[in-house]
Amino acid sequence: MKPSVRTTVIAGNWKMNMTPSAARDAVRETAALTAGKSGCEVVLCVPFVDIPAAVEAARGTNVKIGAQNVHFEKKGAFTGEISADMLLESGAEYVIVGHSERRQYFGETDETVNRRAKAALDAGLKVILCLGEVLAQRQAGITEEIVSLQTKLDLAGIPAEQMKDLIIAYEPVWAIGTGLTATPEQAEEVCAIIRRVLAGLYSPAVAEATTIQYGGSMNDGNAAQLLAKENVDGGLIGGASLVPAKFAKIVDAAQ
Ligand code: PGA
């Protein structure tokens, strides 16, 4: 049984998929299929240009809209970047930071992830902070060290009061987009490690109240077993979030 102090959050990460018109349809369909499912929060993190259409389609439903990245400066000469204030004004409530694809392909480091998380929280966005080990680290038996270090570095300087607006997504990099899902036991083990690190960094109460998701090939077939684990408080879902019927089944599994 999960403590009732924690909110279960099922979030989709559309990555670089869906034009604004496709986004409008997919949000409408997701909202219709998940209407009245009050056992979890439902979030869709969409490409920047899809945000206005997605927000419009989600109005009055239980679907919340998020972005997939944010810059750490408030404004200025940062061609191609998007600020937290821009996201907020366009209606986004959430933002993903530190996704492994940003770390792998776009040079994101724990330092920039930390700065992005702080900027987003300071502006009033809710943050989904992603971290997780790569395959070689798991095989070398250093998952605990890697994930603990990422948690500490990525949260450096973020005060306890802001932790209510921050979700951690444990995403083993070897499980993302590969069809290889962590077993429920592996997911539980690492989510529990992260929670222990949070207890040390903040307090047992903050650790107990923080939502920790699992992400990496979560789908309508495996979600129920993963979500049944005590320390797995939701999911960050890539591929399966693009198909509203599949995503809605994951939301069902979280009820
Ligand atoms: P996946 O992606 O569900 O397609 O593995 C998860 C993620 O990248 O957040």
Side-chain angles (χ1 to χ4, degrees), residues 18 26 28 34 48 56 58 64 66 68 86-87 89 98 108 123 169 175 184 187 189 207 213 244 252 255:
M18 307 254 196
R28 278 195 192 129
T34 60
F48 291 133
E56 182 60 38
K64 303 196 159 76
Q68 301 170 12
M86 294 171 189
L87 293 179
E89 196 174 319
E108 205 77 67
E189 185 188 9
Q213 298 172 317
D252 281 342
Q255 300 307 299

Side-chain angles (χ1 to χ4, degrees), residues 65-102:
I65 301 302
Q68 301 170 12
N69 192 22
V70 62
H71 197 258
F72 38 79
E73 296 292 349
K74 285 182 110 30
K75 61 178 182 175
F78 302 101
T79 302
E81 293 293 327
I82 299 283
S83 74
D85 286 344
M86 294 171 189
L87 293 179
L88 266 182
E89 196 174 319
S90 57
E93 287 179 59
Y94 284 82
V95 64
I96 295 172
V97 299
H99 190 277
S100 69
E101 286 150 18
R102 302 292 320 167

Side-chain angles (χ1 to χ4, degrees), residues 13 15 99-101 171 175-178 215-218 236-240:
N13 172 14
K15 308 191 181 185
H99 190 277
S100 69
E101 286 150 18
E171 298 210 301
I176 296 176
T178 57
S217 300
M218 192 188 264
L236 183 57
I237 295 112

Side-chain angles (χ1 to χ4, degrees), residues 151-174:
T151 305
K152 289 176 193 168
L153 292 172
D154 296 352
L155 294 177
I158 294 175
E161 308 82 74
Q162 288 189 324
M163 287 299 289
K164 63 176 185 353
D165 292 324
L166 187 135
I167 294 168
I168 294 182
Y170 165 56
E171 298 210 301
V173 179
W174 48 270

Side-chain angles (χ1 to χ4, degrees), residues 166-245:
L166 187 135
I167 294 168
I168 294 182
Y170 165 56
E171 298 210 301
V173 179
W174 48 270
I176 296 176
T178 57
L180 288 175
T181 315
T183 64
E185 291 69 32
Q186 287 171 324
E188 168 66 14
E189 185 188 9
V190 182
C191 290
I193 289 168
I194 294 168
R195 205 175 301 287
R196 279 201 295 279
V197 174
L198 294 178
L201 283 176
Y202 296 100
S203 67
V206 168
E208 277 301 286
T210 302
T211 296
I212 304 180
Q213 298 172 317
Y214 166 78
S217 300
M218 192 188 264
N219 59 42
D220 46 323
N222 59 29
Q225 287 163 296
L226 287 158
L227 295 170
K229 291 293 180 189
E230 188 187 332
N231 285 290
V232 179
D233 311 315
L236 183 57
I237 295 112
S241 72
L242 295 170
V243 183

Side-chain angles (χ1 to χ4, degrees), residues 23-162:
R24 184 176 300 114
D25 292 346
V27 170
R28 278 195 192 129
E29 203 179 332
T30 302
L33 292 170
T34 60
K37 303 281 162 68
S38 55
C40 65
E41 264 192 33
V42 181
V43 182
L44 290 172
C45 296
V46 307
F48 291 133
V49 296
D50 292 356
I51 292 172
V55 166
E56 182 60 38
R59 190 157 292 140
T61 76
N62 64 336
V63 174
K64 303 196 159 76
I65 301 302
Q68 301 170 12
N69 192 22
V70 62
H71 197 258
F72 38 79
E73 296 292 349
K74 285 182 110 30
K75 61 178 182 175
F78 302 101
T79 302
E81 293 293 327
I82 299 283
S83 74
D85 286 344
M86 294 171 189
L87 293 179
L88 266 182
E89 196 174 319
S90 57
E93 287 179 59
Y94 284 82
V95 64
I96 295 172
V97 299
H99 190 277
S100 69
E101 286 150 18
R102 302 292 320 167
R103 296 180 191 250
Q104 263 182 296
Y105 308 136
F106 302 101
E108 205 77 67
T109 64
D110 287 311
E111 192 206 331
T112 56
V113 170
N114 173 252
R115 292 179 70 188
R116 288 176 204 272
K118 282 179 178 161
L121 290 169
D122 287 348
L125 288 164
K126 292 186 180 165
V127 166
I128 300 176
L129 171 69
C130 302
L131 48 87
E133 81 287 1
V134 300
L135 185 59
Q137 293 165 334
R138 176 159 285 268
Q139 286 171 338
I142 56 171
T143 297
E144 176 161 1
E145 286 88 336
I146 293 296
V147 167
S148 301
L149 189 64
Q150 285 180 328
T151 305
K152 289 176 193 168
L153 292 172
D154 296 352
L155 294 177
I158 294 175
E161 308 82 74
Q162 288 189 324

